Amino acid sequence: MYSSRLARLSSRRLWLVNHSARRFQSTEPPPAGGHSPSIATSSYLRTTRDAALHVPGLRWVDADNSRLEDVAAGRETRKMNVYQAVRDAMSVAMTKDDTAVVFGEDVAFGGVFRCTMGLAEEFGRERVFNTPLTEQGIAGFGVGLASMGHTAIAEIQFADYIFPAFDQIVNEAAKHRFRSGGEFGVGTLTIRCPTMSVGHGGLYHSQSPEGFFMGASGLKIVIPRSPLQAKGLLLGSIRDPNPVIFMEPKILYRSAVEQVPVDDYELPLGKAEHLTRGNDLTLLTWGTPIYHCETALHMLETPPESIAKHVPTSMRSAKVELIDLRTILPWDVDAIEESVRRTGRLVIVHEAGRTGGVGGEIAAEIQKRCFLKLNAPVKRVTGWDTPVPMQYEKFYIPDALRILDAVVETLAY
Amino acid sequence: MASLARLRPRLPRRFPIGVRSLQTSADTTILTEDASHSKPFTVTLHEDSFRAYKTDVPSLDVEVSKDELLGMYKTMQTMRRMEMAADTLYKQKLIRGFCHLAIGQEAVSVGLEAGITSEDRVITAYRCHPFAVLRGGTIKGVIGELLGRQCGMSNGKGGSMHIFTKSFFGGNGIVGAQVPLGAGIAFAQKYMNQSAATYAMYGDGASNQGQVFEAFNMAKLWDLPCVFVCENNKYGMGTSAERSSSNTEYFTRGDKIPGIQANGMDIIAVKKAVQHTRDWVTSGKGPILLEFVTYRYGGHSMSDPGTTYRTREEIQRMRSTQDPIRGLQRYIEEWGLASEEDLKKFDKEAKAEVDAAVEEAKASPFPLEKDLWSDIYYKGTEPPSMRGRESEEVHYY
């Protein structure tokens, strides 16, 4: 009941914004912080040195990690955004591994998102080089290079451009180990690509193609949410002995800023991370929507006056467990199952469209595992089953209001 | 349709008038020195054994030795026996799935191996069985893989197109997909300053795949030590080269990359072309294309009888006049290196070796059930569990 009201509100809001957009045809570019005001102030970003040095699951590469307190002492952190953290990770990887090379379209000049700024100057043009505009060629070249045991860090300029390379990734990279009976593998291959919406990317610059790779066993897919996560997960991906597609939410490149340890560290692949704990509902997402979820949870607790009547007072104290999936394939099914067994409710949020999206797979598996524990159907908040539209991208992506709507509906079921 | 067919020009001439065409006889090489002793001697190839594009043709003089030629003969014969054994096993329904045989193309695989070293790397398409054996595998390993047994080179999990050794990056089932991999492999060799070459092989059918040209461009851009080998057996599946390719001179399709076309039926010409291209790429001149004009006697795969798109007479003519093994046999006999009886002995040995390997492979068990879940992810980095064949079956790592 609440949901239908909120949904109506949501569509009304669409209508209003639509009109205001028409009124200001010559609008300014989106603010530097992106369209999500919460990113700049997110409590999930670690703004102090101490917080950045004590991260769950963090493993210092140069130390015995048995006593985290001891090994964190005396280490430095630096304020970085995501593209700086990604660059830092590649710099660390190349410093420690002479066979590591970085290649892709325009990476020698820093890349379109500046993720490789200065790497060519630091490591030489023979280790950081531009490729032709040839995604299938880049992926195939990377598979060949990695099958020689070299560390290949390839960049596909946008995740939207990964489709010409689909065959090489799914049929060559993912299956290499299995089809050679374990004799060969391309575990040293990592393919980086910017993903998710940017607010004005439209059809070919705002897609989230992670779902297309879900059936490619042998492959890993990692999506970080923040600078600290990006560095640790990218180093983990580069060194993981399986081919990894590392998708970087492009709107976070500049807008997410936090303290990042300067030293070499890794975060574990295949492990989800709890951002909040609770027993009433599990909210699962990855990448950019983390911050929309944060906003939604804030709105649930203290709804703005305009929507307060749609959020029952009894729900405002609900304890929602927000989980960042981080690794999309293979996904941390045990952590999600454990959480849903406690909460009995699951809402999944992702930017890709619903049909064939990752959420469907998770929903099916969790419904099978937790069927008798569920108090409500698994709810998915996703992009619409349309191409990502240029003009209405804002309404394509699942924003805080739609997430709040789904949480309220699921809690009220 | 009939009128359209009349309107269409006849199949284009293979070569413009006035240009001499490549000859593909298997037995036109001439002895120029005494070969009655064990020392190496020089032979001269037919003057039309090679054609070149943006480079010079290789020298026609080739140094060979008695032992080498006898070894080539025996190896070619063994490879053919192995492929024939696979044919039989397939027809007995012991080999299932896909199976592409290289009968008729033995001079390419055996000649290639004769011209390269263990430092060089080879990657090819699905017609891969001989390469796998020559690059360090075994007949038992190949047949075992085709049969899907544990003794197979990929533990019985890959099958016909998925056989690897340390220096052989496999058969590859996706048409053309191995070519950019070859560029990547060659890049690693160059990066490590190795004086070695990568032979990235594909067929006349795959030559029209977009990624083949992507790989050409990258290889030339970065001057990678890669030899792109087009094994032109004149038919991509059931479509002849002339019907699929606007330019059937595959050695000229590299734009700025030079190319050599070589007689792929005379193993001595193959060896020479391989040595020549190896010297080219390892001396820092960048990639080169190498087209072997050859012929497959069988169909594209086991499900293709191979006679619907070409005449039986054509196949019979190739078999009787240009067979690579018969050609080498003629050299050996004419040059007095061995008698017909000696060669018959080799034939028997080849058959016995293959028969023994087949029996051993057949005795090998099928892969264990748990192998369904092994080698998907690197050991120790798997997800906690993976689903099995039915809803209740789950494998826990």
Side-chain angles (χ1 to χ4, degrees), chain B residues 104-125:
Chain B
Q105 301 179 210
E106 292 85 356
V108 175
S109 51
V110 179
L112 177 81
E113 188 57 32
I116 59 177
T117 73
S118 59
E119 292 304 304
D120 297 318
R121 297 288 177 262
V122 177
I123 182 165
T124 188

Side-chain angles (χ1 to χ4, degrees), chain A residues 215-232:
Chain A
S217 291
L219 201 65
K220 292 192 176 182
I221 305 168
V222 177
I223 303 182
R225 68 166 187 274
S226 74
L228 188 152
Q229 296 283 319
K231 179 176 174 183

Side-chain angles (χ1 to χ4, degrees), chain A residues 277-282 300-301 315 317-321 343:
Chain A
R277 291 278 177 178
N279 285 323
D280 296 326
L281 183 141
T282 303
L300 177 71
E301 202 179 325
M315 287 181 192
S317 56
K319 293 284 176 231
V320 174
E321 185 150 303
T343 63

Side-chain angles (χ1 to χ4, degrees), chain A residues 20-178:
Chain A
S20 61
R22 270 199 207 143
R23 235 180 297 150
F24 304 105
Q25 280 288 312
S26 58
T27 45
E28 304 243 311
H35 285 288
S36 313
S38 66
I39 297 176
T41 54
S42 171
S43 61
Y44 306 143
L45 293 169
R46 292 169 186 262
T47 50
T48 66
R49 172 181 170 276
D50 198 48
L53 290 176
H54 297 90
V55 173
L58 184 147
R59 195 180 71 82
W60 301 103
V61 170
D62 56 1
D64 169 20
N65 287 267
S66 52
R67 285 179 64 86
L68 193 60
E69 299 306 314
D70 294 349
V71 292
R75 292 186 190 268
E76 282 177 41
T77 63
R78 206 164 59 224
K79 195 171 165 184
M80 295 186 201
N81 59 24
V82 171
Y83 81 68
Q84 289 162 334
V86 166
R87 186 219 179 272
D88 197 38
M90 286 190 280
S91 172
V92 169
M94 294 182 80
T95 303
K96 296 211 170 166
D97 177 359
D98 285 341
T99 72
V101 294
V102 169
F103 53 94
E105 294 159 14
D106 284 352
V107 297
F109 311 133
V112 291
F113 288 103
R114 303 186 159 223
C115 292
T116 52
M117 281 291 281
L119 285 180
E121 289 72 21
E122 193 178 342
F123 296 99
R125 290 277 174 141
E126 66 280 358
R127 295 187 67 189
V128 182
F129 50 92
N130 293 335
T131 62
L133 308 184
T134 157
E135 285 76 19
Q136 189 172 25
I138 292 170
F141 176 83
V143 171
L145 186 54
S147 66
M148 290 285 276
H150 287 227
T151 299
I153 307 170
E155 178 180 297
I156 300 292
Q157 201 167 58
F158 281 84
D160 310 64
Y161 307 165
I162 209 163
F163 299 110
F166 198 68
D167 171 64
Q168 282 288 350
I169 293 169
V170 173
N171 273 329
E172 302 295 325
K175 297 177 176 60
H176 227 66
R177 189 179 306 285
F178 191 83

Side-chain angles (χ1 to χ4, degrees), chain A residues 98 127 130 132 134 136-137 141 144 147 167-168 171-172 178-181 183-184 218-220 241-242 361 365, chain B residues 154-155 157 162 164-165 169 171-172 174 177 181 184 191 211 214 217-218 222 374-378 381 387:
Chain A
D98 285 341
R127 295 187 67 189
N130 293 335
T134 157
Q136 189 172 25
F141 176 83
S147 66
D167 171 64
Q168 282 288 350
N171 273 329
E172 302 295 325
F178 191 83
R179 72 195 195 87
S180 65
E183 183 169 358
F184 274 101
L219 201 65
K220 292 192 176 182
N242 302 287
E361 172 62 31
E365 186 64 19
Chain B
S154 297
N155 306 334
K157 294 170 61 169
H162 312 285
F164 300 73
T165 73
F169 287 68
N172 286 272
I174 305 297
L181 269 67
Y191 189 84
Q211 57 181 328
E214 297 184 23
N217 179 49
M218 284 191 281
W222 301 323
S374 63
D375 297 323
I376 299 173
Y377 290 98
Y378 186 82
T381 67
R387 290 176 216 161

